[in-house]
Amino acid sequence: MANIVTSACCVVLAAVVVVYAQRRSQQGGRIQYEMIGSDVTMMCGTLESDASVTWKVNGTDVKADKVEGPRLILKEVALASNGLYSCFENPTGDLKDQITLRVGEPPKEPVVTCRSNTYPKGFYCTWHLPHPSYIPTEFEVSVKHGNKKLEFQKDPVHKNRCYVKYPELFSTNKYKVNVIAINALGNSSTYISFDEFSIVKPDPPEKLVANPVPNNVRRLEVTWNNPSTWPDAENFPLKYFLRYRPLILDQWQHVELSDSTSHTITDAYAGKEYIIQVAAKDTEIGTWSDWSVAIHATPWMEVPRQHITSTTEAGIAETSPSPAPPSAKPQLSAAMGGSSVLTCRADSL
């Protein structure tokens, strides 16, 4: 029985080794990273300097600038040079080595942005490269409050984002975030420092609705909800900035409101469709949110009565139907407005 189990284990192990070898062969024996525009030399394994070899890339003969024994020399490589390079010993044609060439650049200084849309719970930071490096690049992140290193949680979906809890509120100590981009060709870093209040920016208000006021051709009742991400509107109230305009005009009208999630527009043009948006901001600190999703609404319109005309000659009464009034139901539109967040570039530590 023991021999049977041992034999079975050996068979499984052998299968795993074969699969691994196949995958390694498919992916190339090793990866060689080189900089765009550089001259590249690839060696065919450990063959002697006087060996004669043939090179192929992705199964096709290589148009090489130079072949010296087991060495392949490529001049000023570009992205088109990427591929799986294989070398075969002459005259047997035996495969001796495989190299996956990956051409790219060292990373530039990453762009780092931090924002608190859940004040006073915490903030998040994101980062990205301003230019592609074309090869795998990893990021190392550190966050400090004063001289104390803070723990953070990486976003499971957005790999270049992390979340940080505020260790204390109303602190005068600055927050410091350092992001290092690293790949096989080099590394680069960005360091930013900021105060707690400077990165506070709520998300836009939600569920914006505008309804006509019955029997009033110039009024619209507008209501909205606080952003659901804002955790404590009672102790950290928001103020609002409402803007509206008729579709026939480009100029916006604005109203700033304190601690109120409704407003009545009283100067609308009768019968004209309006576009309406609202933004939010902490009453004391931070910056305004982006604009909410835009909605469309039209003030109340009186339905014209039907007119009755008589035909005396035929003695038959005829009616002329009037056109149906336009719908006053708000319709969703695309979001408008841009974003404004704290963005800093590299400083020396």
Side-chain angles (χ1 to χ4, degrees):
M1 182 67 179
N3 290 335
I4 295 175
V5 173
T6 302
S7 299
C9 291
C10 290
V11 171
V12 172
L13 180 60
V16 170
V17 170
V18 169
V19 171
Y20 175 78
Q22 291 175 344
R23 289 180 178 176
R24 182 175 175 82
S25 175
Q26 293 169 358
Q27 296 172 354
R30 52 196 168 92
I31 299 177
Q32 184 169 334
Y33 293 100
E34 299 290 349
M35 194 175 301
I36 293 176
S38 65
D39 296 341
V40 174
T41 298
M42 286 184 280
M43 291 292 299
C44 183
T46 57
L47 293 178
E48 298 293 334
S49 60
D50 59 349
S52 175
V53 300
T54 299
W55 287 88
K56 292 182 181 292
V57 56
N58 300 325
T60 304
D61 290 340
V62 175
K63 296 179 180 179
D65 296 290
K66 192 174 183 182
V67 176
E68 295 180 349
R71 296 191 304 163
L72 172 65
I73 301 173
L74 303 176
K75 297 288 187 180
E76 298 181 351
V77 293
L79 293 176
S81 305
N82 286 331
L84 176 60
Y85 289 76
S86 306
C87 60
F88 304 85
E89 188 174 15
N90 297 325
T92 62
D94 294 336
L95 176 64
K96 289 300 180 180
D97 198 6
Q98 287 187 312
I99 304 169
T100 299
L101 179 64
R102 297 290 302 274
V103 178
E105 295 181 342
K108 304 295 184 182
E109 295 173 352
V111 177
V112 183
T113 300
C114 295
R115 174 188 170 207
S116 178
N117 63 335
T118 58
Y119 192 81
K121 285 188 175 182
F123 62 92
Y124 67 87
C125 294
T126 61
W127 52 90
H128 68 274
L129 294 179
H131 304 287
S133 63
Y134 305 107
I135 61 175
T137 301
E138 301 292 332
F139 296 91
E140 292 184 358
V141 182
S142 65
V143 182
K144 288 185 176 181
H145 179 229
N147 295 321
K148 181 181 178 182
K149 189 173 182 179
L150 300 181
E151 298 293 330
F152 57 84
Q153 180 181 1
K154 290 188 176 181
D155 192 297
V157 177
H158 304 282
K159 65 177 183 178
N160 291 356
R161 177 182 294 184
C162 69
Y163 298 91
V164 185
K165 292 184 178 179
Y166 282 119
E168 58 179 300
L169 292 180
F170 314 119
S171 172
T172 57
N173 289 326
K174 289 184 177 295
Y175 289 86
K176 305 167 187 175
V177 178
N178 190 41
V179 178
I180 306 174
I182 305 169
N183 67 23
L185 300 177
N187 64 80
S188 185
S189 65
T190 295
Y191 169 85
I192 65 172
S193 176
F194 52 86
D195 295 308
E196 169 189 308
F197 62 83
S198 65
I199 62 169
V200 175
K201 179 184 176 181
D203 287 328
E206 302 171 358
K207 298 181 179 179
L208 179 63
V209 176
N211 291 313
V213 177
N215 301 313
N216 196 311
V217 297
R218 301 201 65 189
R219 289 177 178 254
L220 287 169
E221 291 281 1
V222 186
T223 61
W224 58 89
N225 288 354
N226 288 323
S228 56
T229 51
W230 195 254
D232 191 359
E234 182 176 351
N235 292 311
F236 295 88
L238 297 173
K239 61 181 179 180
Y240 303 94
F241 204 57
L242 180 74
R243 71 176 186 178
Y244 58 98
R245 65 175 176 85
L247 291 182
I248 60 173
L249 299 178
D250 293 329
Q251 185 175 359
W252 293 92
Q253 293 172 275
H254 300 88
V255 179
E256 185 168 341
L257 305 162
S258 298
D259 195 23
S260 175
T261 56
S262 65
H263 178 72
T264 301
I265 296 173
T266 60
D267 56 352
Y269 290 112
K272 301 301 180 183
E273 184 179 359
Y274 271 75
I275 183 170
I276 305 167
Q277 290 179 291
V278 64
K281 179 186 175 299
D282 183 277
T283 55
E284 296 182 1
I285 60 175
T287 58
W288 287 98
S289 73
D290 295 340
W291 291 108
S292 68
V293 173
I295 62 169
H296 289 220
T298 304
W300 178 85
M301 294 179 64
E302 184 177 3
V303 180
R305 294 182 179 181
Q306 291 182 333
H307 299 284
I308 300 177
T309 59
S310 62
T311 304
T312 57
E313 294 181 357
I316 301 174
E318 297 180 354
T319 60
S320 300
S322 62
S327 171
K329 182 179 179 181
Q331 301 176 5
L332 292 179
S333 140
M336 298 182 61
S339 60
S340 174
V341 290
L342 173 69
T343 302
C344 304
R345 299 304 301 270
D347 296 318
S348 58
L349 285 170

